[in-house]
């Protein structure tokens, strides 16, 4: 065998070796491996902050309308899930009007000026964190329990908006034994605030404006604090309460076992 033949065979052997054995340290291979481990590295370095971040679900409506149901998943980005923040704003010139047609628990609710969220008959919305209401939050019971719930202590309802309850006694604003609202909004209509289950603070206005169906204020044994305005409601107080604002009631509208509450 000649030298050129031997060299040709060895070159062939080297070529076969290169074809059959992929380069393990090529640039693209290393990049793919890096991208695969990058999320794990981020979690390892910033794990607590990443895990604590709350996702915000924003109402986007459709091409033709900004009105729809909470369960219209295509109208959200992304669709709301338990514990998400929820933001509802008007979309350009289209007024946002969302009907809650399922029980929902959210972290924080942000309702923009002119926007509307309607808790329809028989459903419940729980807020786990202080929320901003610059639009209108409706409780629209027609006979079944329709509720706005506080899911943690001292949930503040702030903003320039309002809560409007239909003329039905089955509307409820309540919380648990240690959960309650700090109200800075205007609440009107009929139903019950407190249900004897939560303490609450009123820094806004509570206006009972339906003569046929009363608005009952019934805090738990921890009582209530009023630094705002309460008008025409039926107020039942069973605990220690304080008033540094204005309470204007009908003659039969005040029932109390608390000597600490002074009505001005």
């Amino acid at each position: 065998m000649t030298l050129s033949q031997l060299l040709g065979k060895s070159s062939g052997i080297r070529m076969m070796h290169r074809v059959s054995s992929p380069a393990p340290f090529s640039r693209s291979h290393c990049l793919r491996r890096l991208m695969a481990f990058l999320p794990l590295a981020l979690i390892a370095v910033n794990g607590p902050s990443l895990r604590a971040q709350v996702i915000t679900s924003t109402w986007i409506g459709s091409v033709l309308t900004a009105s729809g149901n909470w369960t219209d998943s295509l109208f959200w980005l992304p669709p709301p899930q338990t514990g998400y923040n929820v933001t509802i704003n008007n979309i350009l010139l289209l007024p946002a009007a969302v009907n809650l047609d399922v029980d929902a628990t959210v972290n924080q609710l942000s309702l923009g000026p002119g926007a509307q969220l309607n808790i329809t008959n028989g459903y419940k919305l729980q807020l786990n964190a202080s929320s901003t209401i610059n639009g209108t939050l409706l409780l629209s019971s027609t006979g079944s329990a329709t509720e706005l719930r506080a899911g943690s202590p001292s949930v503040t309802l702030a903003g320039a908006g309002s809560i409007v309850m239909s003329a039905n006694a089955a509307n409820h604003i309540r919380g648990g034994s240690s959960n309650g609202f700090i109200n800075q909004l205007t609440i009107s209509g009929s139903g019950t605030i407190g249900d004897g289950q939560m303490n609450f603070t009123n820094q806004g206005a509570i206006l009972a404006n339906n003569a046929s169906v009363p608005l009952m204020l019934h805090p738990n044994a921890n009582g209530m604090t009023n630094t705002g305005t309460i008008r025409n409601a039926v107020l039942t107080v069973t605990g220690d309460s304080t008033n540094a604002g204005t309470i204007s009631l009908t003659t039969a509208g005040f029932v109390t076992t608390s000597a600490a509450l002074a009505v001005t």
Side-chain angles (χ1 to χ4, degrees):
M1 180 178 293
T2 65
L3 179 61
S4 60
Q5 290 174 327
L6 181 61
L7 291 174
K9 286 188 176 181
S10 63
S11 299
I13 293 171
R14 286 194 300 272
M15 289 177 64
M16 289 175 63
H17 177 73
R18 284 196 298 269
V19 170
S20 61
S21 301
F25 300 108
S26 67
R27 182 177 299 175
S28 61
H29 182 77
C30 291
L31 182 60
R32 285 195 298 270
R33 291 175 65 90
L34 177 61
M35 294 300 292
F37 285 102
L38 184 58
L40 296 177
L42 288 173
I43 292 174
V45 174
N46 299 303
S49 61
L50 288 177
R51 286 191 291 269
Q53 186 176 7
V54 178
I55 297 173
T56 296
S57 179
T58 302
W59 179 259
I60 59 173
S62 69
V63 175
L64 300 177
T65 181
S67 300
N69 293 329
W70 186 280
T71 53
D72 291 332
S73 59
L74 296 179
F75 284 24
W76 296 95
L77 188 65
Q81 296 184 31
T82 298
Y84 281 20
N85 292 334
V86 169
T87 297
I88 301 173
N89 291 315
N90 290 343
I91 302 171
L92 298 177
L93 299 178
L94 300 176
V98 182
N99 293 315
L100 184 71
D101 57 343
V102 65
D103 291 341
T105 298
V106 303
N107 184 56
Q108 183 182 77
L109 173 65
S110 177
L111 194 60
Q116 177 179 293
L117 175 59
N118 181 23
I119 306 175
T120 59
N121 180 58
Y123 292 107
K124 303 168 183 64
L125 175 63
Q126 178 170 306
L127 304 179
N128 288 340
S130 295
S131 298
T132 302
I133 311 295
N134 287 313
T136 304
L137 179 60
L138 301 168
L139 279 74
S140 299
S141 174
T142 57
S144 298
T146 304
E147 300 182 355
L148 175 65
R149 293 179 174 178
S152 61
S154 302
V155 173
T156 298
L157 300 174
S162 61
I163 297 176
V164 178
M165 297 186 283
S166 62
N168 199 289
N171 292 310
H172 303 273
I173 299 176
R174 67 182 187 87
S177 59
S178 60
N179 298 335
F181 283 114
I182 299 174
N183 174 56
Q184 298 176 352
L185 308 173
T186 297
I187 300 176
S188 63
S190 304
T192 303
I193 300 175
D195 278 341
Q197 299 175 354
M198 75 170 187
N199 64 298
F200 62 91
T201 297
N202 178 49
Q203 299 172 349
I206 298 176
L207 311 175
N209 53 3
N210 190 315
S212 59
V213 184
L215 176 56
M216 310 274 300
L217 306 183
H218 187 193
N220 63 13
N222 293 322
M224 61 167 283
T225 298
N226 176 54
T227 59
T229 300
I230 299 174
R231 290 201 179 104
N232 299 328
V234 175
L235 178 58
T236 301
V237 180
T238 57
D240 289 334
S241 299
T242 59
N243 175 46
T246 300
I247 300 179
S248 174
L249 305 172
T250 61
T251 303
F254 182 56
V255 179
T256 182
T257 59
S258 172
L261 181 64
V263 179
T264 61

